[in-house]
Amino acid sequence: MPGLLRGVARTAVVAGTATAVSNRVSRRQAGRWAQQEPAPAQQYAPPPPPPSAAATAPADDMSSKIAQLKELGELKEQGVLTEAEFAAQKSKILGS
């Protein structure tokens, strides 16, 4: 019986020590990570304001639409877009 109690006591001491060490390591890591992370306000920059309608010229608008259509055509040729996806995006660009 004394051998059994000694084994149980040893197991309890080892388990208690392991728990204490694990908790201490977790607290230290959490403290280090908290110091490294930026504040939520610093983490994300505000989005830029959308361009006004008066700032874009009609010629620039048409050339950007042509560039988008060319890119869509290339994606369709590569097999990235299906015919239905291509048609949907094309009508979205052209506004029809």
Side-chain angles (χ1 to χ4, degrees), residues 21-77:
V21 169
S22 175
N23 289 340
R24 182 168 184 237
V25 168
S26 295
R27 283 191 303 267
R28 287 178 64 193
Q29 284 179 346
R32 287 181 183 169
W33 291 339
Q35 290 174 354
Q36 290 177 356
E37 291 180 5
Q42 297 171 348
Q43 194 171 14
Y44 301 105
S52 64
T56 58
D60 289 339
D61 189 41
M62 185 55 75
S63 63
S64 70
K65 285 182 180 182
I66 291 172
Q68 289 175 343
L69 289 172
K70 286 181 181 179
E71 186 176 336
L72 275 178
E74 291 172 4
L75 290 173
K76 182 183 163 206
E77 288 177 12

